């Protein structure tokens, strides 16, 4: 897959992605959002409100990292599974997130017919209370996911393979 094409796609939709996520950022401790979808053929869509992080992620790290791979594989059909991020200092993705001041996050996973979707919500490395916010506001996160999927329907449509890495 051509990651340059996927990166260019993220650049093209970045303003729309930011606009969709604006209410999320204003009304919570969340500072970063990422939509990730892995197809059964291992191609994937990776969109992020932190484009600099995404550039490094797509150009330097070829896998999902040890921290995020297991919950991705364990995602349940048509049901949300939530995973609080672990600080595994050996994981390349965790190190990259922290280097961009993105951490104390949670990811929701859901398996669909031919893919696994993920919605990642991150705070800052200093905000150690963010996990409490997520746990106490799972319905808020689910509502945002519903809003996001509706508002970003065309953005997250994977029928065009040039959007995928």
């Amino acid at each position: 897959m051509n990651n340059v094409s996927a990166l260019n796609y993220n650049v093209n939709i970045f303003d729309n992605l930011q606009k969709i996520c604006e209410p999320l950022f204003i009304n919570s401790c969340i500072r970063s959002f990422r939509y990730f979808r892995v197809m059964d053929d291992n191609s994937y869509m990776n969109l992020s409100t932190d484009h600099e992080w995404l550039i490094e992620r797509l150009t330097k790290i070829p896998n999902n990292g040890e921290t995020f791979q297991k919950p991705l594989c364990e995602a349940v059909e048509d049901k949300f599974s939530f995973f609080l991020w672990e600080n595994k200092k050996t994981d390349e993705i965790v190190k990259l997130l922290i280097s961009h001041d993105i951490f104390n996050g949670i990811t929701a996973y859901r398996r669909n017919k031919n893919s696994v979707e993920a919605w990642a919500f991150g705070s800052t490395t200093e905000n150690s209370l963010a996990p409490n916010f997520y746990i106490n506001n799972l319905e808020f996160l689910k509502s945002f996911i519903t809003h996001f999927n509706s508002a970003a329907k065309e953005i997250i449509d994977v029928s065009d393979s040039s959007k995928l890495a």
Side-chain angles (χ1 to χ4, degrees), residues 12-130:
N12 291 333
I13 59 91
F14 183 78
D15 289 340
N16 289 340
L17 185 64
Q18 285 291 112
K19 185 176 180 181
I20 293 167
C21 294
E22 191 173 296
L24 178 70
F25 299 147
I26 290 171
N27 295 311
S28 72
C29 61
I30 299 167
R31 298 293 168 256
S32 175
F33 174 77
R34 176 176 160 231
Y35 174 80
F36 186 69
R37 184 171 180 184
V38 181
M39 311 307 288
D40 285 344
D41 68 0
N42 289 323
S43 62
Y44 59 92
M45 175 175 275
N46 199 343
L47 306 177
S48 175
T49 58
D50 188 320
H51 190 69
E52 297 303 316
W53 175 84
L54 186 63
I55 289 170
E56 288 191 60
R57 165 66 178 92
L58 288 178
T59 59
K60 295 181 180 177
I61 304 172
N63 57 49
N64 290 317
E66 62 186 270
T67 303
F68 298 97
Q69 184 63 30
K70 184 177 179 187
L72 182 71
C73 292
E74 294 175 351
V76 178
E77 184 83 27
D78 295 325
K79 184 179 177 190
F80 288 114
S81 303
F82 286 91
F83 171 77
L84 287 169
W85 300 355
E86 298 177 48
N87 192 352
K88 291 187 176 178
K89 296 182 190 309
T90 58
D91 186 313
E92 293 301 315
I93 292 178
V94 170
K95 288 194 280 189
L96 185 60
L97 286 165
I98 290 171
S99 75
H100 284 265
D101 195 27
I102 305 168
F103 207 68
N104 292 307
I106 191 169
T107 303
Y109 295 92
R110 182 176 63 193
R111 173 161 272 294
N112 297 316
K113 293 175 188 158
N114 62 352
S115 66
V116 175
E117 286 183 286
W119 303 263
F121 306 88
S123 189
T124 63
T125 54
E126 296 297 316
N127 191 347
S128 60
L129 296 177

Side-chain angles (χ1 to χ4, degrees), residues 3 8 10 37 46 62 71 75 95 98 107 122 130 134 144 158 165:
N3 288 355
N8 288 337
N10 198 82
R37 184 171 180 184
N46 199 343
K95 288 194 280 189
I98 290 171
T107 303
Y134 305 133
F144 177 78
V158 294

